[in-house]
Amino acid sequence: MSDEITRLANSVLWPGFFGTEAPEWLLAELRDGLAGVVYFGQNMSERLPELSAAVHTANPDALIGIDEEGGSVTRLEAATGSTLPGAAQLGAVDDVDASRRTGTELARRARAAGVDVILGPVADVNTDPRNPVIGVRSFGSDAALVSRHVAATVDGIQSGGVAACVKHFPGHGDTHLDSHHALPVIALDTAEIEAVHLEPFRAAIAADVDTIMTAHIVVPAWGDQPATLNPLVLGRLRELGFDGVIITDALDMAAVRESVGIGGGAVQALAAGADLLCIGNPTNPGAAALPDQDERDFFTAREAIIAALRDGSLSRERVEQARDRVLALAAKLRAATPPADEPYDAAEIVRRALHVVGDADAETSALAVVDARRRSTLAVDSAAGYVAAALAGDGFRVRLDLDRASDAEQDAGLDAARADGGRVVLLVDRPEVDQAQRGLIERVAGLDIGAVVVNVGLPVRGELPLPFVDAAAASRISAEVVHDLLLR
C-alpha cells in the first residue's frame, strides 16, 4: 500500500508505455491514483478498446490521451496513414464548418477507441517555413486564420465528448529547430508574440478549451527557462483567463531530458504551474531504449516529485491544485453525452484543399513515384511508406534518401522510374527550403520527361520548374486523392 504522497505524485503523471496490453506495473500505478496514460503508435492494435477498458477499470478517473491531429500526424492509423484532413489542408479550404466537423469526427474515433483527450489541434502560427516540427500541422501562417480554425476544431472535438488540447503554448511556429532534439529560442519581442502567436490560444480559451499543452522553447523576453518550466510563461497563460488543465509537452524530449532531466523537469514544471506531466514515448531513444524504458522514465519523474514534496522544495498545495484540475476534467468527461453521428466526407475536404499548378493533372495511365521526402522525425512519420504506396497505387515506386544517396544511386532510381513507363512523380515535402529536393526537381525538369511534383509539405510560395500539386499533408487520404487526380 503506497503512502499519501506517492498517490499525490501519481495523480499528476501521464506516462507512455510499451506494448498493446497494459503492463502490470502500469495497472498497479493506475490503481494507486495514476492520472492516466498517453497512447503512441506501439500501443495500437485491433484490441485498443479493450486496452482502454483495462485502463479505466484500474482507475475510473484515468485520462487516456493520444496525438491524433489528422493529416501527417496519427496514432490510431499509424500503420496505414490518416484518413482525415490535416490542419494545413483545413486552413487552405478556410471553411470553419469543415474544421468543426473534422473535430467532431476526431472525437468520434477517439471515443470508439476509449480515448479521453485528443492532443490537438495545433495552435502554432507557422511563420518560419523552415520549421521542422510544425509545418503542415499548423492551420497556416496568419494568426486570424489559425485562430478561427483552432476555435472551430476545439468546438468540434469537445462537443463530441472528448477533451481537446491546443498546443504548443506560447507558440512553436517561429523556429527552425525541433525541441525533440534541441532547445529552440524564440527571439521575438513580446509585442509580436502577443499579437501573433498568443492569438490562437486566446481563441481557444474563448472556446472553453479543456487543456493546453506547453512548448519546450525559450522566449528570452520572459527568461532563460523553457516555457514548460517557466512560471512567468505559465502565469501568462492563466492571465489570459485559462483555468483548465495545463499539460506539459513530453519530458523525455531533449530540450528537457538533456538540460534538467526528466526528474528535474517534472518538479520544475509543477512548480511553474503545470498540472499534468506528459512523460513521453519510451520508444524515442530508438535502439538505445532499454526494455524497461517506460518504467524507468515514469519512476524517475515520480521519485523526483516525491523527494521534492518531502523536503518542501515543491509545494504540496500546488500539486493538490494540479490534481484537482485533472480530476475535475475526468469528472466532466464521464458526464459528457456524445452527439449523434453526422455525415462527414474527408476526401471532399482534401480535394478542395489541393492546389494544382501547370498541367499536373494531364491525362496519364500509370504513375512511377520517386519518394524523395526527408526522413521521419519523432513527431511526424513524414517518410512513411504508405504515402508513396497510396500515391503510386499499382504503379512503380522507389525511395531516394537524398541525405545519403550518391548521384549514381539517384540516377539509378530515376532511370528505374523512367523505364517503368508511367508518368514520373517526384514526392517531396520541402521543395523551397531543402536544397537537395530542389536540386532533384531541377535535374528532372532538365530531362523533359513530363514529370510532376507532389508536395506534401508547406505550400510552394514561388515557382517550380515542373508542374506541381500542393497536397499539404503526408497522409494516406491525401495520397489517394492526388492519385485519383493524376491517374485518369
Side-chain angles (χ1 to χ4, degrees), residues 195-236:
V196 177
H197 297 281
L198 296 194
E199 194 59 25
F201 294 97
R202 291 191 185 93
I205 293 167
D208 293 324
V209 69
D210 287 322
T211 76
I212 294 179
M213 178 176 282
T214 63
H216 300 330
I217 59 171
V218 171
V219 181
W222 288 331
D224 58 5
Q225 290 177 295
T228 298
L229 315 180
N230 189 326
L232 287 177
V233 175
L234 301 193
R236 182 72 188 106

Side-chain angles (χ1 to χ4, degrees), residues 332-366:
K332 173 186 174 180
L333 295 175
R334 284 200 311 273
T337 302
D341 292 345
E342 59 181 69
Y344 179 76
D345 187 345
E348 183 268 340
I349 296 172
V350 171
R351 280 192 290 271
R352 290 165 61 193
L354 297 183
H355 180 219
V356 181
V357 176
D359 63 344
D361 55 351
E363 186 172 341
T364 187
S365 60

Side-chain angles (χ1 to χ4, degrees), residues 236-299:
R236 182 72 188 106
L237 180 51
R238 295 301 184 197
E239 289 171 3
L240 293 176
F242 181 64
D243 194 38
V245 176
I246 296 178
I247 301 177
T248 69
D249 207 345
L251 298 179
D252 70 346
M253 292 162 62
V256 172
R257 182 193 284 270
E258 295 179 9
S259 56
V260 298
I262 290 177
V267 172
Q268 290 184 37
L270 285 167
D275 302 307
L276 185 57
L277 310 183
C278 177
I279 296 175
N281 185 349
T283 69
N284 281 348
L290 298 169
D292 61 346
Q293 192 71 51
D294 49 358
E295 292 181 77
R296 286 172 179 258
D297 289 350
F298 168 73
F299 286 112

Side-chain angles (χ1 to χ4, degrees), residues 4 24 53 80 124 133 230 308 344 365 401 413 467-468 477:
E4 190 177 351
E24 186 50 45
T80 57
D124 304 315
V133 69
N230 189 326
Y344 179 76
S365 60
D401 185 341
F468 65 89
I477 193 167

Side-chain angles (χ1 to χ4, degrees), residues 7 10-14 29-37 52-65 114-117 245 276 322-335:
R7 189 173 181 86
N10 272 358
S11 71
V12 295
L13 289 172
W14 221 23
E29 299 304 332
L30 285 163
R31 289 189 287 266
D32 202 21
L34 182 63
V37 300
S52 298
V55 170
H56 285 133
T57 297
N59 180 2
D61 289 324
L63 296 175
I64 299 175
V115 168
D116 306 293
V117 183
V245 176
L276 185 57
R323 174 203 62 195
D324 291 346
R325 285 199 180 105
V326 173
L327 289 174
L329 175 58
K332 173 186 174 180
L333 295 175
R334 284 200 311 273

